[in-house]
Amino acid sequence: MSDSTQIQNPKITPEIIAEHGLDDAEYKRLLAAMGREPNRVELGIFSVMWSEHCSYKSSRFHLKKLPTTGEQVICGPGENAGVIDIGDGPNGTKLAAIFKMESHNHPSYIEPYQGAATGVGGILRDVFTMGARPVANLNALRFGRPEHPKMKHLVKGVVAGIGGYGNCVGVPTVGGETNFDAAYDGNILVNAMTVGVADQEKIFYSAASGVGNSIVYVGSKTGRDGIHGATMASADFGDDIEEKRPTVQVGDPFTEKLLIEACLELMATDAIVAIQDMGAAGLTSSAVEMATNGKVGICLNMDDVPQREAGMTPYEMMLSESQERMLMVLKPGREAEAEAIFKKWELDFAVIGEVTDTKHMILEWQGEVVCDIPLGPLAADAPEYDENDRPYLSEDDYKAWADVKPLGDMPLSTDIGADLLKLMASPALASRAWIWQQYDSQVGGDTAQRSGGDAAVVRVHGTNKALAMSTDCTPRYCYADPYEGGKQAVAESYRNISAVGAKPLAITNCLNFGNPQRPEIMAQFTGCLKGMGDACRALDYPIVSGNVSLYNESKATGGGSAILPTPAIGGVGLLEDIDTMATIGFKNEGDMIWLIGGHGDHIGQSIWLREIHGMVAGDAPHIALDKELSNGNMIRRLIGEGTINAVHDISDGGLLVALTEMALAGGIGCSLDDDLNAMQAFGEDQSRYIVTTPSGTHIEGARAIGKVSGDMIAGQSITELRAAHESFFKDWMED
């Protein structure tokens, strides 16, 4: 559209409606809400606000069943990020941790560097929008088979994008996980998480208020990048992937750094009434969310929006997802003060509208009203689909559809040591040093432990406290048994945070699934959520923020169908005294090795079964939540008492892999009291830890299994194991 006549009086054809991602029923619902035909601007606004990415129309019904409250929760889902109480800070302040995880999957497949970079930028804004200074970034990455012709390009681009943005903006990237599976060949996952710290008295929310108060735009100018990004992220990939490249945003981390500092400086005053990041759907979603949350209306003059390109229309301005932009409501008379701050930081500042009492979104452009939409249908009354609209398979029908093969006769293993060497070299377990060495994990000077241990640990500046954080999920478990897989994702997060000595407080999540209009996919979604909810309740580990990413499927050349169900969990815990922090590396020759949780025998869905025998079969491991809770409490007590020298949870690869990781971290081998069979060595039974203590120590309820000594494990030298462990990425990237 190039002029106001075209914008207000377009020919809205069925093809145009379909291009905007609305089906016939949704368009009829739109007509009922408007009482008339929409113009092109209004159609575009409905399109993005009713997309899966913004409305959560296929998931809201089920998300309401999750536990989101607790004594530690200050603000749960519904704001830009979740907020939890972390107690006293310097000078009598009360502190809060503010955190969230988001997806940037589709953009990262289309354009890996900018897709991943802008994912980091977006999640940073979600956190500092609420008044927190970001202190840590994490990520959870899923890629396809390394031998896939596009995968090396995607891995290089995504890792470079995460490092390029995070390193430049000055926030340490301290943790994460990276997995490979053929299910992600045509649709990789890039989930980004940010954790920040704020004064509890200076937390900012998004609800606009005060009729007549100024609506202020700050940050970068609006361009044509990212238009319809939210709609693109709410559909399957087809063969037109390259044509979608213009829907990917372009980020500028240096501008983001300026924006962080300018916002925090203005937040130190009392000028702000409300503030909202311009994320998915850009100016549209930020304006709608602020007005809806405040139960007010909003009127914007599109001529006043700072624009990077000439001739932009309201349609383009409202749907652009240009980065590093914020929307604010200011108190009366504070505009000049705020403008001076943003001009000092060389950022755009413009008053573009005001709060009204109409409960409508009204847009004016070139002297005409080009949009007038009641706010209710855009957000609070947007479509919500329950099990009748999005049916799902029963548990039995899902198992029949998933066709998970029974384990059958146990495969034989004639050489446990040779199996271990092969496992440590496999893409599933190989060192991720090639990745994390590209991230600045030390900027800010508060990182006490980064990727490589069970959880990252970052000191709360000015105190002796620390935040522990991790990202966790085992998608192969979630496919085999969505309920147990959902439980396990939460439980592993709980275990990793406990293993450094921190008390797990709350989680965020990024729920990555396929097409919700397929009953088998909704069975995965509902099953995982049920498992997550039960685990969160049993462990007092509520969900305070999150993101849903659906339609992660690809029909593109070389792609498969749906991804594995991947409910990524981002956990945060509190370490009251950083001096008690535990690490995984063996410390001293002669230390005793203890097993908490017993020997394993669960080989179904294990890494060993897949990598050594080429089998994907058997049930996912069961999680006994009472055992998870009691063992976690025991570990934290032992760490707090200073009883143990090293701690590691047992997860992918089982006991022998965990021991090897401890040996590689400490540079010392170990000898075991008994020979292990394959089930004991590589079983992935849950709720288990390994700890070491000085010789002569006794741990009630644990089993002594050996001692720290020498330079061998299971007949393999540490030197050989280290070479195998570090070979995969080195060989792949140099190939």
Side-chain angles (χ1 to χ4, degrees):
M1 299 298 99
S2 59
D3 60 48
S4 59
T5 300
Q6 286 179 299
I7 288 171
Q8 293 200 81
N9 302 293
K11 175 66 174 174
I12 303 294
T13 65
E15 291 76 20
I16 290 175
I17 295 167
E19 287 171 5
H20 283 76
L22 300 175
D23 62 27
D24 290 343
E26 288 171 343
Y27 189 65
K28 289 176 182 176
R29 184 180 182 129
L30 183 161
L31 293 177
M34 292 283 289
R36 59 175 172 80
E37 290 273 348
N39 63 40
R40 180 67 74 93
V41 177
E42 293 163 337
L43 179 64
I45 288 171
F46 270 101
S47 165
V48 293
M49 290 306 299
W50 284 8
S51 68
E52 287 284 357
H53 199 72
C54 292
S55 74
Y56 289 20
K57 59 190 174 188
S58 295
S59 58
R60 285 203 324 270
F61 176 81
H62 301 286
L63 294 173
K64 294 172 185 176
K65 304 170 187 176
L66 294 172
T68 60
T69 59
E71 185 178 347
Q72 67 273 44
V73 178
I74 295 173
C75 177
E79 277 291 341
N80 287 289
V83 186
I84 56 173
D85 183 357
I86 58 171
D88 296 337
N91 305 316
T93 57
K94 295 285 188 182
L95 297 179
I98 300 181
F99 60 101
K100 190 180 182 184
M101 183 187 285
E102 283 261 6
S103 62
H104 233 223
N105 304 333
H106 284 40
S108 297
Y109 189 85
I110 297 167
E111 212 303 298
Y113 185 95
Q114 288 296 347
T118 52
V120 174
I123 197 63
L124 282 165
R125 289 193 299 279
D126 278 339
V127 168
F128 76 74
T129 294
M130 297 196 69
R133 179 170 289 280
V135 300
N137 288 331
L138 301 90
N139 51 73
L141 312 177
R142 266 85 191 183
F143 296 106
R145 295 163 296 147
E147 61 269 26
H148 187 281
K150 192 171 182 177
M151 212 49 57
K152 188 188 299 186
H153 163 73
L154 291 171
V155 172
K156 285 184 173 181
V158 166
V159 172
I162 291 169
Y165 204 101
N167 296 352
C168 291
V169 84
V171 178
T173 300
V174 298
E177 55 179 343
T178 302
N179 299 146
F180 296 90
D181 192 281
Y184 305 103
D185 278 357
N187 199 127
I188 65 174
L189 301 184
V190 176
N191 296 170
M193 177 177 171
T194 294
V195 181
V197 175
D199 183 334
Q200 289 187 23
E201 299 300 317
K202 296 180 180 178
I203 295 171
F204 291 82
Y205 298 99
S206 62
S209 64
V211 173
N213 282 347
S214 296
I215 305 291
V216 173
Y217 172 120
V218 300
S220 292
K221 289 180 169 61
T222 294
R224 290 187 170 96
D225 51 322
I227 292 174
H228 274 301
T231 307
M232 175 270 293
S234 305
D236 296 343
F237 276 150
D239 293 320
D240 59 346
I241 287 174
E242 291 303 316
E243 297 173 19
K244 296 180 184 291
R245 191 175 298 272
T247 64
V248 178
Q249 311 95 315
V250 177
D252 180 352
F254 299 104
T255 299
E256 181 98 339
K257 174 61 174 172
L258 299 178
L259 188 59
I260 291 172
E261 299 303 331
C263 286
L264 292 176
E265 182 174 339
L266 183 59
M267 287 168 172
T269 73
D270 65 346
I272 297 174
V273 174
I275 182 169
Q276 178 72 36
D277 162 43
M278 290 193 217
L283 187 52
T284 289
S285 64
S286 57
V288 169
E289 288 166 11
M290 290 178 80
T292 300
N293 291 345
K295 297 180 173 58
V296 295
I298 194 165
C299 181
L300 303 180
N301 187 336
M302 305 308 293
D303 298 310
D304 295 330
V305 173
Q307 297 163 51
R308 192 168 66 234
E309 303 177 47
M312 291 192 71
T313 65
Y315 181 94
E316 293 170 325
M317 286 184 269
M318 292 303 292
L319 271 60
S320 167
E321 294 185 8
S322 294
Q323 296 291 286
E324 293 89 38
R325 302 180 300 157
M326 312 283 280
L327 202 62
M328 298 180 181
V329 178
L330 298 181
K331 291 182 178 178
R334 306 301 290 272
E335 294 85 357
E337 177 185 358
E339 182 174 15
I341 290 172
F342 282 90
K343 293 299 183 185
K344 181 184 80 172
W345 290 100
E346 299 180 347
L347 295 166
D348 275 281
F349 177 99
V351 176
I352 64 168
E354 66 177 19
V355 177
T356 69
D357 61 0
T358 64
K359 295 187 179 179
H360 277 229
M361 170 186 274
I362 296 174
L363 307 179
E364 297 175 351
W365 182 59
Q366 296 183 356
E368 298 182 32
V369 173
V370 294
C371 170
D372 186 347
I373 302 177
L375 284 160
L378 285 179
D381 301 326
E384 177 179 293
Y385 298 139
D386 61 18
E387 63 265 28
N388 296 313
D389 306 296
R390 298 282 189 263
Y392 50 90
L393 300 181
S394 68
E395 185 175 333
D396 288 341
D397 286 346
Y398 174 77
K399 288 183 176 180
W401 172 84
D403 192 27
V404 177
K405 302 292 188 291
L407 189 57
D409 294 335
M410 263 291 298
L412 298 176
S413 184
T414 57
D415 190 336
I416 295 293
D419 288 357
L420 174 64
L421 195 65
K422 185 174 180 180
L423 283 175
M424 297 307 292
S426 70
L429 296 174
S431 168
R432 270 51 176 160
W434 181 88
I435 295 176
W436 55 252
Q437 285 172 353
Q438 297 184 53
Y439 304 152
D440 187 342
S441 63
Q442 299 299 323
V443 63
D446 284 318
T447 304
Q449 189 172 163
R450 54 147 177 78
S451 269
D454 287 314
V457 179
V458 177
R459 183 191 297 272
V460 178
H461 197 75
T463 76
N464 213 42
K465 295 180 178 184
L467 294 174
M469 54 203 80
S470 72
T471 62
D472 297 286
C473 184
T474 311
R476 64 185 185 277
Y477 295 170
C478 295
Y479 181 87
D481 187 328
Y483 176 70
E484 288 295 338
K487 284 166 60 181
Q488 192 272 343
V490 172
E492 185 170 355
S493 167
Y494 186 89
R495 200 178 312 138
N496 281 329
I497 287 171
S498 294
V500 298
K503 178 174 176 52
L505 292 179
I507 66 174
T508 183
N509 60 58
C510 196
L511 306 176
N512 307 273
F513 292 83
N515 186 333
Q517 294 166 277
R518 293 171 54 191
E520 59 271 23
I521 300 300
M522 281 306 291
Q524 294 174 347
F525 185 81
T526 55
C528 284
L529 257 64
K530 187 174 187 298
M532 288 167 54
D534 285 352
C536 289
R537 279 182 281 268
L539 301 173
D540 186 23
Y541 202 27
I543 298 168
V544 297
S545 61
N547 171 241
V548 179
S549 175
L550 302 177
Y551 292 97
N552 287 291
E553 304 198 9
S554 175
K555 303 178 183 68
T557 303
S561 53
I563 61 164
L564 297 178
T566 311
I569 301 296
V572 174
L574 180 65
L575 194 60
E576 289 287 356
D577 182 357
I578 197 171
D579 294 333
T580 66
M581 178 186 72
T583 56
I584 74 169
F586 287 150
K587 298 294 189 302
N588 309 305
E589 286 269 357
D591 277 358
M592 298 177 68
I593 301 173
W594 298 84
L595 175 61
I596 294 173
H599 271 304
D601 62 5
H602 190 96
I603 288 298
Q605 298 299 321
S606 66
I607 293 288
W608 175 80
L609 193 67
R610 186 183 74 186
E611 297 295 329
I612 302 300
H613 297 284
M615 295 173 59
V616 178
D619 295 328
H622 171 69
I623 302 283
L625 293 170
D626 55 346
K627 181 179 178 182
E628 191 72 58
L629 181 64
S630 62
N631 287 353
N633 289 338
M634 178 181 179
I635 284 291
R636 294 195 303 276
R637 175 178 58 79
L638 291 170
I639 294 171
E641 292 171 350
T643 304
I644 51 185
N645 290 331
V647 186
H648 194 15
D649 87 307
I650 299 174
S651 56
D652 282 355
L655 172 64
L656 203 52
V657 166
L659 286 167
T660 303
E661 290 169 344
M662 298 177 82
L664 293 178
I668 315 174
C670 66
S671 60
L672 301 180
D673 296 339
D674 301 309
D675 291 335
L676 301 176
N677 61 36
M679 291 187 295
Q680 292 170 327
F682 304 116
E684 295 183 7
D685 304 66
Q686 300 293 298
S687 312
R688 299 190 297 154
Y689 302 81
I690 303 165
V691 303
T692 67
T693 67
S695 180
T697 306
H698 178 71
I699 300 179
E700 188 71 31
R703 175 174 179 165
I705 61 171
K707 66 178 181 180
V708 176
S709 65
D711 61 359
M712 305 283 287
I713 303 175
Q716 303 292 331
S717 74
I718 292 178
T719 301
E720 290 175 313
L721 287 165
R722 191 182 304 280
H725 191 48
E726 294 175 356
S727 64
F728 166 68
F729 271 102
K730 181 176 181 295
D731 294 345
W732 187 34
M733 290 304 168
E734 290 181 359
D735 183 14

